[in-house]
Amino acid sequence: MLTKRIIPCFDIKNGRVVKNVSFLTNERDAGDPVELAKIYEEQGADELVLLDITATDENRGTLLDIVRRTADQVFIPFTVGGGVSQVDHFREILKAGADKVAINTAAVKTPQLITDAAKRFGTQCVVVSIDGKWDDGLQDWIVVIHAGKKPTELRVIEWAKEVERLGAGEILLTSFDQDGQKSGFDVELTRRVGEAVKIPVIASGGAGEMSHFYDVFTEGKADAGLAASIFHFKETTVTEVKKYLKERGVAIR
Amino acid sequence: MFAIIDYGMGNLRSVEKALETLGAEVTVTSDPNVVRMADGVILPGVGAFGDAMENLREAGLIPVIRDVVAAGTPFLGICLGMQLLFTTSDEHALFEGLNLLKGHVRMFQGDFKIPHIGWNDLTLRREHPMLNGVADGDYVYWVHSLVVEPTDPAVVLATTDYYGDVPGIVGLGNVCGIQFHPEKSSRVGLQLLGNFVNIVTAAKEGVNA
């Protein structure tokens, strides 16, 4: 049976792992990304996500070096994102050994990028990140870009359907309201998006304890759960979360 | 020496590094002469079936692949590389494959999530040197939207269940295929690649003996 995936995520800045709380600047250094990746593979992580939060043309070389070193030493799939805005960036990152590439702001600004990358490299490696935020006035979730700083006209559920149509292979759905709050994933948002598309949905933002994964896999129907600080700062381990879920009947590797 | 065929279809580095971790000497190449010299050949790849066949054709690799397979060189197709072993595919349009194994490759169809992405467990269907040290229920990592339908079910060595039986490992003579990603399947994946390395070593010793 296909299992639910547990995915530790690293935010990378100048070659080191950091964790932002609600995308603000309270950063703590959780170490070398490649070392951390190896530890997570041993713990049974199903996949990894590496996000370059300072992605610029100048430090692209640093990121590609991390991607190469990770691919050389870690034999589970990993996704790389941050500052990807051209098909050429996809090519570089995939060539360095990543399995998938995540795009966010660029997908909103240039939706054609999704289709171009899917045609060139296959839909399976195109992950579209969607940052969603609840809008009280509209009573709906809207898409925010530029690390949450800028709201758009897009509604999350409509945008999710659109990125699927354009060729996305997976959706990495982050609740901007929940991110960094440790009070649980946005189960309702995750479920609604999952019901709207046929491609897998990775839930992100808000994991603070093991039961949050249970909730998002059962009620939220997520295919995967992504978290950062809960793992980096050893509040719990991937092994513990998987054991907890298995005991409660969730399909887990 | 192992040749990993580079024909512009995706991530070859992980396959290369996994084999090196297992102690194999590996060359990533698009040179037909290097492929011809290899003790074992790996055809990896992700992407579109039609593009892949076109790239192989343009690089002049199709006759070489046929020659090394006919000569008995162990040959392993991974993911798209396994699908290319078959006769035809209907991804986007009807394409002809390498026809080293008889069968058709079709898109998953149904009211479920496509692609099939994630860790799913194996059911072993045959005994085969590729399956040494691998057990029923071992999890491996899958990413694919196409599924192979071999004409002869006897070539299917292992399957998984994703809304029906999905062939995961196929083998006939010196030709093997793995639908999932052994290079991304942690311990079990490295075991499978190690088995292929052993098959190649045994074949080489057989030739030299």
Side-chain angles (χ1 to χ4, degrees):
Chain A
M1 186 194 281
L2 189 66
T3 55
K4 302 286 189 183
R5 290 171 276 158
I6 301 291
I7 308 180
C9 171
F10 316 158
D11 287 349
I12 295 173
K13 184 178 180 179
N14 302 324
R16 303 283 293 177
V17 177
V18 294
K19 171 59 189 165
N20 281 3
V21 178
S22 263
F23 301 107
L24 297 177
T25 52
N26 178 19
E27 295 164 0
R28 285 193 286 169
D29 189 347
D32 174 35
V34 182
E35 287 309 309
L36 207 54
K38 282 154 68 175
I39 292 167
Y40 286 138
E41 179 182 4
E42 284 161 25
Q43 288 185 359
D46 296 306
E47 219 171 305
L48 302 169
V49 171
L50 280 62
L51 289 179
D52 184 3
I53 59 167
T54 52
T56 58
D57 288 339
E58 297 87 72
N59 71 12
R60 188 161 295 280
T62 312
L63 178 69
L64 291 176
D65 183 56
I66 291 169
V67 174
R68 275 185 217 105
R69 290 197 295 125
T70 306
D72 291 354
Q73 299 175 50
V74 176
F75 298 107
I76 55 174
F78 66 100
T79 302
V80 173
V84 174
S85 58
Q86 305 166 21
V87 170
D88 234 25
H89 295 156
F90 272 81
R91 190 187 53 77
E92 286 174 353
I93 292 169
L94 294 171
K95 190 161 183 280
D99 300 278
K100 312 176 198 181
V101 176
I103 50 173
N104 190 337
T105 299
V108 172
K109 289 189 168 167
T110 320
Q112 182 65 28
L113 178 61
I114 301 170
T115 310
D116 291 347
K119 279 208 179 119
R120 177 68 187 84
F121 307 107
T123 57
Q124 80 293 329
C125 67
V126 182
V127 178
V128 175
S129 290
I130 302 179
D131 291 347
K133 192 174 184 352
W134 178 254
D135 187 301
D136 269 333
L138 295 169
Q139 288 291 300
D140 196 3
W141 293 273
I142 60 157
V143 176
V144 293
I145 55 171
H146 290 299
K149 289 197 251 329
K150 197 174 168 220
T152 70
E153 302 284 308
L154 298 166
R155 311 285 182 106
V156 170
I157 290 157
E158 294 310 309
W159 178 233
K161 287 190 213 166
E162 178 66 4
V163 303
E164 175 181 44
R165 192 187 65 77
L166 290 168
E170 278 184 293
I171 290 172
L172 169 51
L173 178 65
T174 301
S175 161
F176 192 73
D177 303 300
Q178 295 302 105
D179 196 65
Q181 302 303 320
K182 297 185 168 249
S183 55
F185 295 95
D186 190 331
V187 170
E188 177 69 8
L189 172 63
T190 307
R191 187 180 58 77
R192 293 279 299 279
V193 172
E195 285 170 357
V197 297
K198 282 178 81 178
I199 54 178
V201 175
I202 304 164
S204 160
E209 52 188 82
M210 296 195 277
S211 65
H212 295 156
F213 287 94
Y214 181 83
D215 296 341
V216 85
F217 287 146
T218 52
E219 285 172 60
K221 298 181 180 165
D223 298 283
L226 177 144
S229 57
I230 186 175
F231 298 133
H232 300 335
F233 301 114
K234 302 194 172 66
E235 289 159 35
T236 183
T237 63
V238 174
T239 317
E240 281 171 357
V241 171
K242 293 182 91 168
K243 181 166 175 279
Y244 172 92
L245 293 168
K246 225 180 244 177
E247 284 167 2
R248 282 156 185 78
V250 179
I252 287 289
R253 174 171 70 108
Chain B
M1 182 269 292
F2 286 76
I4 298 177
I5 299 180
D6 180 3
Y7 59 117
M9 298 305 288
N11 181 357
L12 311 181
R13 188 181 180 91
S14 301
V15 178
E16 179 191 5
K17 292 298 166 184
L19 285 168
E20 283 178 3
T21 301
L22 294 161
E25 189 197 329
V26 187
T27 306
V28 176
T29 184
S30 53
D31 182 345
N33 292 320
V34 176
V35 175
R36 207 178 287 278
M37 302 276 291
D39 303 309
V41 178
I42 296 180
L43 182 66
V46 294
F49 193 100
D51 292 349
M53 283 305 292
E54 191 51 39
N55 288 4
L56 286 176
R57 196 169 293 121
E58 278 177 11
L61 286 160
I62 292 178
V64 186
I65 290 173
R66 295 200 189 291
D67 288 352
V68 297
V69 168
T73 305
F75 191 96
L76 175 65
I78 297 175
C79 196
L80 175 62
M82 160 167 149
Q83 295 166 0
L84 296 173
L85 300 175
F86 286 85
T87 315
T88 47
S89 164
D90 62 9
E91 185 188 25
H92 307 308
L94 192 71
F95 294 106
E96 284 186 17
L98 293 166
N99 196 30
L100 298 169
L101 298 173
K102 300 288 178 202
H104 183 63
V105 186
R106 64 165 177 84
M107 295 289 282
F108 272 117
Q109 262 163 7
D111 188 22
F112 50 86
K113 300 235 171 180
I114 301 166
H116 172 215
I117 297 185
W119 295 81
N120 207 338
D121 60 331
L122 291 171
T123 301
L124 308 187
R125 301 291 182 182
R126 297 272 182 281
E127 287 199 8
H128 194 280
M130 271 306 283
L131 302 178
N132 285 345
V134 178
D136 265 333
D138 276 350
Y139 282 97
V140 289
Y141 187 79
W142 308 71
V143 184
H144 63 128
S145 302
L146 296 168
V147 56
V148 302
E149 291 178 329
T151 307
D152 178 5
V155 304
V156 178
L157 306 180
T159 57
T160 194
D161 180 40
Y162 191 64
Y163 300 91
D165 272 348
V166 175
I169 307 176
V170 296
L172 180 68
N174 55 319
V175 177
C176 285
I178 300 180
Q179 174 63 74
F180 50 87
H181 286 275
E183 78 282 11
K184 293 291 171 178
S185 295
S186 206
R187 180 196 65 77
V188 179
L190 292 178
Q191 175 75 39
L192 284 159
L193 289 173
N195 290 343
F196 183 67
V197 171
N198 292 338
I199 288 170
V200 171
T201 306
K204 194 180 172 189
E205 281 166 1
V207 169
N208 291 341

